[in-house]
Amino acid sequence: MTKNTRKEAPALPLNTIMSGDCIEAMNSLPEESVDLIFADPPYNLQLRGDLHRPDNSKVDAVDDDWDQFDSFKRYDDFTREWLKAARRILKPNGAIWVIGSYHNVFRLGAELQNQGYWLLNDVVWRKSNPMPNFRGKRFTNAHETLIWASKGEGAKYTFNYDALKALNEGVQMRSDWVLPICNGGERLKDDDGEKAHPTQKPQSLLHRLLVATTNPGDVVLDPFFGTGTTGAVAKMLGRDFIGIEREEKYRKVAEKRIKAIRKFDTEALTVTASKRAEPRVPFGQLVERGMLRPGEQLMSMNGRHKAKVRADGTLIGNDIKGSIHQVGAHLEGAPSCNGWTYWTYQREGKNVPIDLLRQQIRAEMN
Ligand SMILES: C[S@@+](CC[C@H](N)C(=O)[O-])C[C@H]1O[C@@H](n2cnc3c(N)ncnc32)[C@H](O)[C@@H]1O
């Protein structure tokens, strides 16, 4: 008997916060196991001295140990290592979001490209209520940049285009997002009533990007978990999360926060399906299945043009042969045409859009 020597892949620590360094933690996870990574890494702010408001009160800036690097080289080395670890655990069709300010985002973008990630968009998060520039020596720093990248060119990443359009009242979602910074009741406080974390991100930002680029049940990993904003929103939206955070005080805050979160009702989590995500039905299938017969005449929706169905699922009309789209475009003198919504067939004296037949086939597939 041959002995099975294959090692079992370690189980994913779903919906938990791993402690310690994110590079080691990611290296302990099975490869190609995560659908999406959201990373809000140290900014490497390089602050020189305290910053004060005009009334002399000290600005609560990011001057924590976790944000200190001796040099750009050190920061770049760190970036290279964590992005490499992230890449190993991403599924082939997974994607990554990184967020940063002008201090670090260009370094992050360059390293993403160096490693073969494929940049899909950069999104500007414009803060509707930014902190003023107290010294009055530069522009008010009113935005952060997010980079969205797939694992490589040609990867089939998730993008719920129609859901985002619905979220934006029927208008295509643009790459500039105006959202407030995290404050008010959402801002977590420690026992002394002080901010629990200097860079807690707003839930609205995570809501938008998780609805856009994941589906319920996906695994979302955040290697710089902080107060667990990613985990909190993932839980609400019915996604699984894995957090990694090296500071115990932040892990505690995040654990308490996430415990109190309730998942939204499952029905409410289903978002408008992207048309592109629906199964492809070749027109020829309608012919093969006898829904339309070779020789049958189709009429354009506007009643101006006719074409005949051929046995191979192409159309012939006015000396032009080709797909439902090509023939429609040619007859209309247009650069392109969606044949599914252009052509109709006759049943019981009525013109019926051929798209209804496609929908019938799709319904059988579900
Ligand atoms: C910019 S903050 C993230 C804030 C988070 N997005 C939120 O909404 O609360 C970066 C976090 O990464 C943690 N961190 C920094 N270096 C780390 C490392 N090598 N491994 C794990 N966590 C790290 C820091 O302790 C800090 O909480």
mmCIF file of all heavy atoms in Angstrom, residues 18-24 38-43 62 64-67 69 78 82 99 188 197-202 206 222-230 244-247 250 257, ligand 1:
data_model
loop_
_atom_site.group_PDB
_atom_site.id
_atom_site.type_symbol
_atom_site.label_atom_id
_atom_site.label_comp_id
_atom_site.label_asym_id
_atom_site.label_seq_id
_atom_site.Cartn_x
_atom_site.Cartn_y
_atom_site.Cartn_z
ATOM 1 N N MET A 18 -4.653 37.369 14.295
ATOM 2 C CA MET A 18 -3.369 36.726 14.568
ATOM 3 C C MET A 18 -2.461 37.777 15.202
ATOM 4 O O MET A 18 -2.498 38.941 14.828
ATOM 5 C CB MET A 18 -2.736 36.211 13.270
ATOM 6 C CG MET A 18 -3.619 35.221 12.525
ATOM 7 S SD MET A 18 -2.916 34.772 10.907
ATOM 8 C CE MET A 18 -1.649 33.601 11.380
ATOM 9 N N SER A 19 -1.624 37.328 16.149
ATOM 10 C CA SER A 19 -0.729 38.285 16.791
ATOM 11 C C SER A 19 0.648 38.205 16.150
ATOM 12 O O SER A 19 0.969 37.242 15.467
ATOM 13 C CB SER A 19 -0.644 37.991 18.286
ATOM 14 O OG SER A 19 -0.170 36.691 18.452
ATOM 15 N N GLY A 20 1.442 39.238 16.344
ATOM 16 C CA GLY A 20 2.827 39.213 15.867
ATOM 17 C C GLY A 20 3.010 39.928 14.552
ATOM 18 O O GLY A 20 2.140 40.662 14.094
ATOM 19 N N ASP A 21 4.181 39.660 13.962
ATOM 20 C CA ASP A 21 4.564 40.348 12.726
ATOM 21 C C ASP A 21 3.776 39.793 11.538
ATOM 22 O O ASP A 21 3.630 38.574 11.395
ATOM 23 C CB ASP A 21 6.067 40.139 12.517
ATOM 24 C CG ASP A 21 6.502 40.723 11.200
ATOM 25 O OD1 ASP A 21 6.381 41.949 11.044
ATOM 26 O OD2 ASP A 21 6.920 39.955 10.321
ATOM 27 N N CYS A 22 3.317 40.692 10.694
ATOM 28 C CA CYS A 22 2.427 40.247 9.612
ATOM 29 C C CYS A 22 3.159 39.382 8.572
ATOM 30 O O CYS A 22 2.532 38.537 7.931
ATOM 31 C CB CYS A 22 1.742 41.429 8.948
ATOM 32 S SG CYS A 22 2.844 42.521 8.062
ATOM 33 N N ILE A 23 4.461 39.583 8.403
ATOM 34 C CA ILE A 23 5.170 38.788 7.387
ATOM 35 C C ILE A 23 5.212 37.323 7.841
ATOM 36 O O ILE A 23 4.843 36.414 7.096
ATOM 37 C CB ILE A 23 6.589 39.346 7.133
ATOM 38 C CG1 ILE A 23 6.471 40.793 6.637
ATOM 39 C CG2 ILE A 23 7.358 38.476 6.147
ATOM 40 C CD1 ILE A 23 7.756 41.571 6.598
ATOM 41 N N GLU A 24 5.601 37.126 9.090
ATOM 42 C CA GLU A 24 5.636 35.747 9.622
ATOM 43 C C GLU A 24 4.246 35.138 9.616
ATOM 44 O O GLU A 24 4.054 33.984 9.251
ATOM 45 C CB GLU A 24 6.121 35.761 11.072
ATOM 46 C CG GLU A 24 7.617 35.689 11.195
ATOM 47 C CD GLU A 24 8.030 35.879 12.635
ATOM 48 O OE1 GLU A 24 7.367 35.332 13.543
ATOM 49 O OE2 GLU A 24 9.017 36.619 12.845
ATOM 50 N N PHE A 38 -6.677 43.810 2.250
ATOM 51 C CA PHE A 38 -6.726 45.266 2.425
ATOM 52 C C PHE A 38 -5.581 45.608 3.374
ATOM 53 O O PHE A 38 -5.518 45.077 4.482
ATOM 54 C CB PHE A 38 -8.065 45.722 3.027
ATOM 55 C CG PHE A 38 -8.032 47.190 3.387
ATOM 56 C CD1 PHE A 38 -8.219 48.160 2.412
ATOM 57 C CD2 PHE A 38 -7.762 47.610 4.691
ATOM 58 C CE1 PHE A 38 -8.146 49.522 2.721
ATOM 59 C CE2 PHE A 38 -7.689 48.968 5.014
ATOM 60 C CZ PHE A 38 -7.887 49.917 4.012
ATOM 61 N N ALA A 39 -4.681 46.487 2.931
ATOM 62 C CA ALA A 39 -3.512 46.783 3.760
ATOM 63 C C ALA A 39 -3.361 48.284 3.969
ATOM 64 O O ALA A 39 -3.298 49.045 3.011
ATOM 65 C CB ALA A 39 -2.260 46.214 3.109
ATOM 66 N N ASP A 40 -3.302 48.660 5.231
ATOM 67 C CA ASP A 40 -3.126 50.058 5.636
ATOM 68 C C ASP A 40 -1.811 50.083 6.420
ATOM 69 O O ASP A 40 -1.796 50.108 7.648
ATOM 70 C CB ASP A 40 -4.335 50.422 6.526
ATOM 71 C CG ASP A 40 -4.308 51.850 7.034
ATOM 72 O OD1 ASP A 40 -3.473 52.633 6.566
ATOM 73 O OD2 ASP A 40 -5.144 52.160 7.911
ATOM 74 N N PRO A 41 -0.669 50.019 5.702
ATOM 75 C CA PRO A 41 0.625 49.822 6.390
ATOM 76 C C PRO A 41 1.109 51.101 7.058
ATOM 77 O O PRO A 41 0.531 52.173 6.849
ATOM 78 C CB PRO A 41 1.559 49.451 5.230
ATOM 79 C CG PRO A 41 0.987 50.125 4.043
ATOM 80 C CD PRO A 41 -0.511 50.152 4.252
ATOM 81 N N PRO A 42 2.195 50.999 7.838
ATOM 82 C CA PRO A 42 2.773 52.214 8.422
ATOM 83 C C PRO A 42 3.030 53.248 7.329
ATOM 84 O O PRO A 42 3.391 52.901 6.207
ATOM 85 C CB PRO A 42 4.098 51.708 9.023
ATOM 86 C CG PRO A 42 3.870 50.254 9.279
ATOM 87 C CD PRO A 42 2.932 49.779 8.223
ATOM 88 N N TYR A 43 2.834 54.521 7.683
ATOM 89 C CA TYR A 43 2.978 55.603 6.697
ATOM 90 C C TYR A 43 4.422 56.068 6.553
ATOM 91 O O TYR A 43 4.755 56.747 5.602
ATOM 92 C CB TYR A 43 2.164 56.830 7.150
ATOM 93 C CG TYR A 43 0.677 56.653 7.123
ATOM 94 C CD1 TYR A 43 0.008 55.991 8.140
ATOM 95 C CD2 TYR A 43 -0.076 57.192 6.093
ATOM 96 C CE1 TYR A 43 -1.366 55.855 8.127
ATOM 97 C CE2 TYR A 43 -1.450 57.064 6.071
ATOM 98 C CZ TYR A 43 -2.083 56.397 7.091
ATOM 99 O OH TYR A 43 -3.446 56.254 7.072
ATOM 100 N N VAL A 62 0.711 60.904 14.220
ATOM 101 C CA VAL A 62 1.164 59.499 14.244
ATOM 102 C C VAL A 62 2.664 59.489 14.519
ATOM 103 O O VAL A 62 3.479 59.689 13.619
ATOM 104 C CB VAL A 62 0.887 58.823 12.879
ATOM 105 C CG1 VAL A 62 1.235 57.351 12.934
ATOM 106 C CG2 VAL A 62 -0.551 59.027 12.466
ATOM 107 N N ASP A 64 3.987 56.951 16.615
ATOM 108 C CA ASP A 64 4.155 55.694 17.335
ATOM 109 C C ASP A 64 5.355 54.897 16.807
ATOM 110 O O ASP A 64 5.778 55.082 15.667
ATOM 111 C CB ASP A 64 2.896 54.828 17.179
ATOM 112 C CG ASP A 64 1.648 55.584 17.551
ATOM 113 O OD1 ASP A 64 1.322 56.557 16.833
ATOM 114 O OD2 ASP A 64 1.014 55.227 18.543
ATOM 115 N N ASP A 65 5.845 53.986 17.639
ATOM 116 C CA ASP A 65 7.008 53.155 17.261
ATOM 117 C C ASP A 65 6.753 52.402 15.964
ATOM 118 O O ASP A 65 7.643 52.240 15.142
ATOM 119 C CB ASP A 65 7.298 52.125 18.358
ATOM 120 C CG ASP A 65 7.990 52.775 19.529
ATOM 121 O OD1 ASP A 65 8.377 53.957 19.390
ATOM 122 O OD2 ASP A 65 8.109 52.116 20.578
ATOM 123 N N TRP A 66 5.498 51.902 15.800
ATOM 124 C CA TRP A 66 5.230 51.074 14.623
ATOM 125 C C TRP A 66 5.350 51.851 13.327
ATOM 126 O O TRP A 66 5.373 51.278 12.251
ATOM 127 C CB TRP A 66 3.878 50.356 14.721
ATOM 128 C CG TRP A 66 2.650 51.218 14.925
ATOM 129 C CD1 TRP A 66 1.985 51.412 16.088
ATOM 130 C CD2 TRP A 66 1.943 51.981 13.929
ATOM 131 N NE1 TRP A 66 0.913 52.251 15.889
ATOM 132 C CE2 TRP A 66 0.860 52.607 14.572
ATOM 133 C CE3 TRP A 66 2.104 52.189 12.560
ATOM 134 C CZ2 TRP A 66 -0.046 53.427 13.903
ATOM 135 C CZ3 TRP A 66 1.207 53.008 11.891
ATOM 136 C CH2 TRP A 66 0.155 53.613 12.559
ATOM 137 N N ASP A 67 5.450 53.183 13.415
ATOM 138 C CA ASP A 67 5.558 53.979 12.189
ATOM 139 C C ASP A 67 6.997 54.460 11.946
ATOM 140 O O ASP A 67 7.245 55.247 11.046
ATOM 141 C CB ASP A 67 4.603 55.172 12.260
ATOM 142 C CG ASP A 67 4.245 55.693 10.870
ATOM 143 O OD1 ASP A 67 3.881 54.856 10.021
ATOM 144 O OD2 ASP A 67 4.371 56.898 10.622
ATOM 145 N N PHE A 69 10.822 54.126 10.797
ATOM 146 C CA PHE A 69 11.814 53.392 9.989
ATOM 147 C C PHE A 69 13.039 54.308 9.860
ATOM 148 O O PHE A 69 12.885 55.518 9.677
ATOM 149 C CB PHE A 69 11.256 53.053 8.599
ATOM 150 C CG PHE A 69 10.160 52.026 8.649
ATOM 151 C CD1 PHE A 69 8.855 52.397 8.945
ATOM 152 C CD2 PHE A 69 10.442 50.682 8.442
ATOM 153 C CE1 PHE A 69 7.846 51.457 9.030
ATOM 154 C CE2 PHE A 69 9.430 49.733 8.516
ATOM 155 C CZ PHE A 69 8.127 50.120 8.813
ATOM 156 N N PHE A 78 11.016 46.469 4.005
ATOM 157 C CA PHE A 78 9.836 45.972 4.714
ATOM 158 C C PHE A 78 8.659 45.801 3.736
ATOM 159 O O PHE A 78 7.986 44.770 3.705
ATOM 160 C CB PHE A 78 9.482 46.957 5.836
ATOM 161 C CG PHE A 78 8.168 46.678 6.512
ATOM 162 C CD1 PHE A 78 7.980 45.521 7.249
ATOM 163 C CD2 PHE A 78 7.099 47.566 6.400
ATOM 164 C CE1 PHE A 78 6.757 45.254 7.864
ATOM 165 C CE2 PHE A 78 5.883 47.309 7.014
ATOM 166 C CZ PHE A 78 5.712 46.155 7.746
ATOM 167 N N TRP A 82 6.583 42.280 2.923
ATOM 168 C CA TRP A 82 5.174 41.985 3.240
ATOM 169 C C TRP A 82 4.344 41.811 1.968
ATOM 170 O O TRP A 82 3.405 41.004 1.933
ATOM 171 C CB TRP A 82 4.580 42.962 4.259
ATOM 172 C CG TRP A 82 4.185 44.334 3.823
ATOM 173 C CD1 TRP A 82 4.854 45.486 4.065
ATOM 174 C CD2 TRP A 82 2.990 44.715 3.099
ATOM 175 N NE1 TRP A 82 4.176 46.555 3.531
ATOM 176 C CE2 TRP A 82 3.030 46.116 2.934
ATOM 177 C CE3 TRP A 82 1.912 44.019 2.585
ATOM 178 C CZ2 TRP A 82 2.036 46.826 2.272
ATOM 179 C CZ3 TRP A 82 0.912 44.723 1.925
ATOM 180 C CH2 TRP A 82 0.980 46.107 1.766
ATOM 181 N N ILE A 99 -3.488 51.336 1.036
ATOM 182 C CA ILE A 99 -3.832 52.752 1.226
ATOM 183 C C ILE A 99 -2.625 53.461 1.822
ATOM 184 O O ILE A 99 -1.892 52.890 2.628
ATOM 185 C CB ILE A 99 -5.084 52.912 2.130
ATOM 186 C CG1 ILE A 99 -5.440 54.393 2.296
ATOM 187 C CG2 ILE A 99 -4.923 52.242 3.475
ATOM 188 C CD1 ILE A 99 -6.805 54.622 2.929
ATOM 189 N N LEU A 188 -13.104 54.988 18.156
ATOM 190 C CA LEU A 188 -12.968 54.197 19.380
ATOM 191 C C LEU A 188 -12.069 54.908 20.384
ATOM 192 O O LEU A 188 -11.061 55.510 20.004
ATOM 193 C CB LEU A 188 -12.389 52.820 19.039
ATOM 194 C CG LEU A 188 -13.254 51.994 18.072
ATOM 195 C CD1 LEU A 188 -12.456 50.844 17.482
ATOM 196 C CD2 LEU A 188 -14.501 51.470 18.779
ATOM 197 N N HIS A 197 -6.665 54.609 18.690
ATOM 198 C CA HIS A 197 -5.667 54.384 17.623
ATOM 199 C C HIS A 197 -5.575 55.659 16.803
ATOM 200 O O HIS A 197 -6.602 56.266 16.494
ATOM 201 C CB HIS A 197 -6.135 53.201 16.750
ATOM 202 C CG HIS A 197 -5.077 52.633 15.870
ATOM 203 N ND1 HIS A 197 -4.559 53.326 14.800
ATOM 204 C CD2 HIS A 197 -4.432 51.454 15.906
ATOM 205 C CE1 HIS A 197 -3.637 52.573 14.212
ATOM 206 N NE2 HIS A 197 -3.536 51.425 14.864
ATOM 207 N N PRO A 198 -4.362 56.064 16.417
ATOM 208 C CA PRO A 198 -4.262 57.344 15.696
ATOM 209 C C PRO A 198 -4.770 57.308 14.263
ATOM 210 O O PRO A 198 -5.053 58.360 13.686
ATOM 211 C CB PRO A 198 -2.755 57.651 15.712
ATOM 212 C CG PRO A 198 -2.094 56.329 15.910
ATOM 213 C CD PRO A 198 -3.038 55.492 16.708
ATOM 214 N N THR A 199 -4.862 56.129 13.652
ATOM 215 C CA THR A 199 -5.216 56.115 12.216
ATOM 216 C C THR A 199 -6.410 55.201 11.897
ATOM 217 O O THR A 199 -6.420 54.536 10.857
ATOM 218 C CB THR A 199 -4.008 55.673 11.349
ATOM 219 O OG1 THR A 199 -3.762 54.293 11.603
ATOM 220 C CG2 THR A 199 -2.763 56.471 11.644
ATOM 221 N N GLN A 200 -7.390 55.186 12.798
ATOM 222 C CA GLN A 200 -8.583 54.358 12.551
ATOM 223 C C GLN A 200 -9.279 54.830 11.273
ATOM 224 O O GLN A 200 -9.597 56.009 11.115
ATOM 225 C CB GLN A 200 -9.543 54.482 13.739
ATOM 226 C CG GLN A 200 -10.773 53.603 13.613
ATOM 227 C CD GLN A 200 -11.765 53.850 14.757
ATOM 228 O OE1 GLN A 200 -11.388 54.319 15.837
ATOM 229 N NE2 GLN A 200 -13.028 53.533 14.510
ATOM 230 N N LYS A 201 -9.523 53.913 10.354
ATOM 231 C CA LYS A 201 -10.142 54.268 9.073
ATOM 232 C C LYS A 201 -11.674 54.255 9.200
ATOM 233 O O LYS A 201 -12.215 53.499 10.007
ATOM 234 C CB LYS A 201 -9.718 53.279 7.975
ATOM 235 C CG LYS A 201 -8.247 53.362 7.636
ATOM 236 C CD LYS A 201 -7.922 54.698 7.003
ATOM 237 C CE LYS A 201 -6.438 54.936 6.795
ATOM 238 N NZ LYS A 201 -5.622 55.021 8.002
ATOM 239 N N PRO A 202 -12.374 55.059 8.388
ATOM 240 C CA PRO A 202 -13.841 55.063 8.493
ATOM 241 C C PRO A 202 -14.449 53.783 7.906
ATOM 242 O O PRO A 202 -13.929 53.249 6.916
ATOM 243 C CB PRO A 202 -14.246 56.274 7.655
ATOM 244 C CG PRO A 202 -13.120 56.507 6.721
ATOM 245 C CD PRO A 202 -11.875 56.003 7.380
ATOM 246 N N LEU A 206 -14.340 51.153 3.928
ATOM 247 C CA LEU A 206 -14.258 49.693 3.802
ATOM 248 C C LEU A 206 -15.548 49.122 3.233
ATOM 249 O O LEU A 206 -15.520 48.171 2.457
ATOM 250 C CB LEU A 206 -13.956 49.062 5.175
ATOM 251 C CG LEU A 206 -12.474 48.903 5.548
ATOM 252 C CD1 LEU A 206 -11.751 48.012 4.550
ATOM 253 C CD2 LEU A 206 -11.727 50.205 5.619
ATOM 254 N N ASP A 222 -6.410 41.376 6.468
ATOM 255 C CA ASP A 222 -5.831 42.700 6.715
ATOM 256 C C ASP A 222 -4.583 42.505 7.578
ATOM 257 O O ASP A 222 -4.673 42.158 8.758
ATOM 258 C CB ASP A 222 -6.861 43.580 7.440
ATOM 259 C CG ASP A 222 -6.337 44.997 7.664
ATOM 260 O OD1 ASP A 222 -5.105 45.180 7.689
ATOM 261 O OD2 ASP A 222 -7.163 45.908 7.828
ATOM 262 N N PRO A 223 -3.386 42.720 6.984
ATOM 263 C CA PRO A 223 -2.144 42.467 7.735
ATOM 264 C C PRO A 223 -1.769 43.575 8.721
ATOM 265 O O PRO A 223 -0.839 43.402 9.502
ATOM 266 C CB PRO A 223 -1.080 42.358 6.633
ATOM 267 C CG PRO A 223 -1.628 43.109 5.470
ATOM 268 C CD PRO A 223 -3.125 43.125 5.589
ATOM 269 N N PHE A 224 -2.463 44.722 8.663
ATOM 270 C CA PHE A 224 -2.184 45.836 9.588
ATOM 271 C C PHE A 224 -3.523 46.225 10.200
ATOM 272 O O PHE A 224 -4.095 47.277 9.891
ATOM 273 C CB PHE A 224 -1.545 47.007 8.826
ATOM 274 C CG PHE A 224 -0.294 46.618 8.083
ATOM 275 C CD1 PHE A 224 -0.320 46.357 6.710
ATOM 276 C CD2 PHE A 224 0.906 46.486 8.759
ATOM 277 C CE1 PHE A 224 0.832 45.978 6.035
ATOM 278 C CE2 PHE A 224 2.074 46.114 8.085
ATOM 279 C CZ PHE A 224 2.028 45.862 6.719
ATOM 280 N N PHE A 225 -4.024 45.364 11.068
ATOM 281 C CA PHE A 225 -5.427 45.359 11.469
ATOM 282 C C PHE A 225 -5.814 46.554 12.332
ATOM 283 O O PHE A 225 -6.958 47.001 12.281
ATOM 284 C CB PHE A 225 -5.690 44.065 12.228
ATOM 285 C CG PHE A 225 -7.096 43.567 12.184
ATOM 286 C CD1 PHE A 225 -7.760 43.381 10.982
ATOM 287 C CD2 PHE A 225 -7.761 43.234 13.365
ATOM 288 C CE1 PHE A 225 -9.057 42.887 10.949
ATOM 289 C CE2 PHE A 225 -9.058 42.740 13.342
ATOM 290 C CZ PHE A 225 -9.709 42.564 12.133
ATOM 291 N N GLY A 226 -4.900 47.088 13.129
ATOM 292 C CA GLY A 226 -5.215 48.224 14.001
ATOM 293 C C GLY A 226 -6.454 47.941 14.828
ATOM 294 O O GLY A 226 -6.545 46.917 15.525
ATOM 295 N N THR A 227 -7.452 48.829 14.721
ATOM 296 C CA THR A 227 -8.688 48.664 15.507
ATOM 297 C C THR A 227 -9.676 47.706 14.843
ATOM 298 O O THR A 227 -10.814 47.588 15.282
ATOM 299 C CB THR A 227 -9.400 50.016 15.663
ATOM 300 O OG1 THR A 227 -9.671 50.517 14.337
ATOM 301 C CG2 THR A 227 -8.573 51.011 16.424
ATOM 302 N N GLY A 228 -9.259 47.092 13.724
ATOM 303 C CA GLY A 228 -10.102 46.060 13.111
ATOM 304 C C GLY A 228 -11.245 46.585 12.254
ATOM 305 O O GLY A 228 -12.276 45.911 12.112
ATOM 306 N N THR A 229 -11.064 47.757 11.636
ATOM 307 C CA THR A 229 -12.141 48.298 10.792
ATOM 308 C C THR A 229 -12.509 47.293 9.687
ATOM 309 O O THR A 229 -13.691 47.053 9.417
ATOM 310 C CB THR A 229 -11.700 49.647 10.158
ATOM 311 O OG1 THR A 229 -11.137 50.453 11.191
ATOM 312 C CG2 THR A 229 -12.863 50.367 9.515
ATOM 313 N N THR A 230 -11.488 46.691 9.083
ATOM 314 C CA THR A 230 -11.751 45.720 8.008
ATOM 315 C C THR A 230 -12.575 44.544 8.531
ATOM 316 O O THR A 230 -13.535 44.106 7.884
ATOM 317 C CB THR A 230 -10.410 45.202 7.434
ATOM 318 O OG1 THR A 230 -9.628 46.325 7.062
ATOM 319 C CG2 THR A 230 -10.624 44.299 6.242
ATOM 320 N N ILE A 244 -4.289 40.653 11.257
ATOM 321 C CA ILE A 244 -2.958 40.467 11.856
ATOM 322 C C ILE A 244 -2.567 41.807 12.470
ATOM 323 O O ILE A 244 -2.643 42.843 11.808
ATOM 324 C CB ILE A 244 -1.887 40.047 10.819
ATOM 325 C CG1 ILE A 244 -2.367 38.863 9.975
ATOM 326 C CG2 ILE A 244 -0.571 39.703 11.528
ATOM 327 C CD1 ILE A 244 -1.479 38.539 8.779
ATOM 328 N N GLU A 245 -2.186 41.776 13.737
ATOM 329 C CA GLU A 245 -1.812 43.028 14.417
ATOM 330 C C GLU A 245 -0.776 42.673 15.470
ATOM 331 O O GLU A 245 -0.963 41.743 16.247
ATOM 332 C CB GLU A 245 -3.058 43.672 15.044
ATOM 333 C CG GLU A 245 -2.805 44.859 15.941
ATOM 334 C CD GLU A 245 -2.013 46.002 15.287
ATOM 335 O OE1 GLU A 245 -2.449 46.529 14.254
ATOM 336 O OE2 GLU A 245 -0.943 46.351 15.842
ATOM 337 N N ARG A 246 0.316 43.449 15.497
ATOM 338 C CA ARG A 246 1.374 43.078 16.429
ATOM 339 C C ARG A 246 1.219 43.710 17.813
ATOM 340 O O ARG A 246 1.818 43.247 18.767
ATOM 341 C CB ARG A 246 2.729 43.386 15.832
ATOM 342 C CG ARG A 246 3.036 44.839 15.706
ATOM 343 C CD ARG A 246 4.434 45.019 15.179
ATOM 344 N NE ARG A 246 4.842 46.391 15.352
ATOM 345 C CZ ARG A 246 5.918 46.909 14.812
ATOM 346 N NH1 ARG A 246 6.685 46.171 14.057
ATOM 347 N NH2 ARG A 246 6.241 48.157 15.016
ATOM 348 N N GLU A 247 0.430 44.767 17.934
ATOM 349 C CA GLU A 247 0.277 45.430 19.243
ATOM 350 C C GLU A 247 -0.938 44.875 19.985
ATOM 351 O O GLU A 247 -2.069 44.948 19.474
ATOM 352 C CB GLU A 247 0.082 46.944 19.063
ATOM 353 C CG GLU A 247 1.129 47.639 18.249
ATOM 354 C CD GLU A 247 2.414 47.899 19.023
ATOM 355 O OE1 GLU A 247 2.341 48.025 20.266
ATOM 356 O OE2 GLU A 247 3.480 47.970 18.380
ATOM 357 N N TYR A 250 -4.093 47.135 20.548
ATOM 358 C CA TYR A 250 -5.009 47.300 19.411
ATOM 359 C C TYR A 250 -5.828 46.024 19.176
ATOM 360 O O TYR A 250 -7.003 46.097 18.818
ATOM 361 C CB TYR A 250 -4.233 47.651 18.136
ATOM 362 C CG TYR A 250 -3.468 48.963 18.207
ATOM 363 C CD1 TYR A 250 -2.277 49.131 17.511
ATOM 364 C CD2 TYR A 250 -3.939 50.043 18.957
ATOM 365 C CE1 TYR A 250 -1.561 50.322 17.560
ATOM 366 C CE2 TYR A 250 -3.234 51.238 19.021
ATOM 367 C CZ TYR A 250 -2.042 51.371 18.328
ATOM 368 O OH TYR A 250 -1.347 52.549 18.384
ATOM 369 N N ARG A 257 -14.573 45.340 19.646
ATOM 370 C CA ARG A 257 -15.390 46.014 18.625
ATOM 371 C C ARG A 257 -16.130 44.993 17.748
ATOM 372 O O ARG A 257 -17.329 45.103 17.502
ATOM 373 C CB ARG A 257 -14.448 46.855 17.764
ATOM 374 C CG ARG A 257 -15.095 47.481 16.565
ATOM 375 C CD ARG A 257 -14.041 48.124 15.696
ATOM 376 N NE ARG A 257 -14.620 49.011 14.724
ATOM 377 C CZ ARG A 257 -13.910 49.696 13.836
ATOM 378 N NH1 ARG A 257 -12.609 49.588 13.798
ATOM 379 N NH2 ARG A 257 -14.513 50.471 12.979
HETATM 380 C C1 LIG B 1 -2.047 52.512 9.789
HETATM 381 S S1 LIG B 1 -2.438 51.441 11.104
HETATM 382 C C2 LIG B 1 -3.883 50.555 10.560
HETATM 383 C C3 LIG B 1 -5.184 51.109 11.115
HETATM 384 C C4 LIG B 1 -6.418 50.305 10.734
HETATM 385 N N1 LIG B 1 -6.664 50.318 9.313
HETATM 386 C C5 LIG B 1 -7.665 50.789 11.470
HETATM 387 O O1 LIG B 1 -8.670 51.177 10.820
HETATM 388 O O2 LIG B 1 -7.661 50.800 12.693
HETATM 389 C C6 LIG B 1 -1.166 50.249 10.974
HETATM 390 C C7 LIG B 1 -1.216 49.155 12.040
HETATM 391 O O3 LIG B 1 -0.266 48.152 11.687
HETATM 392 C C8 LIG B 1 0.362 47.647 12.844
HETATM 393 N N2 LIG B 1 1.668 47.136 12.403
HETATM 394 C C9 LIG B 1 2.742 47.846 12.019
HETATM 395 N N3 LIG B 1 3.740 47.030 11.604
HETATM 396 C C10 LIG B 1 3.247 45.764 11.715
HETATM 397 C C11 LIG B 1 3.794 44.482 11.415
HETATM 398 N N4 LIG B 1 5.022 44.340 10.945
HETATM 399 N N5 LIG B 1 3.022 43.410 11.621
HETATM 400 C C12 LIG B 1 1.755 43.528 12.132
HETATM 401 N N6 LIG B 1 1.197 44.718 12.433
HETATM 402 C C13 LIG B 1 1.929 45.827 12.222
HETATM 403 C C14 LIG B 1 0.442 48.845 13.780
HETATM 404 O O4 LIG B 1 0.498 48.417 15.123
HETATM 405 C C15 LIG B 1 -0.843 49.612 13.434
HETATM 406 O O5 LIG B 1 -1.891 49.265 14.319
#
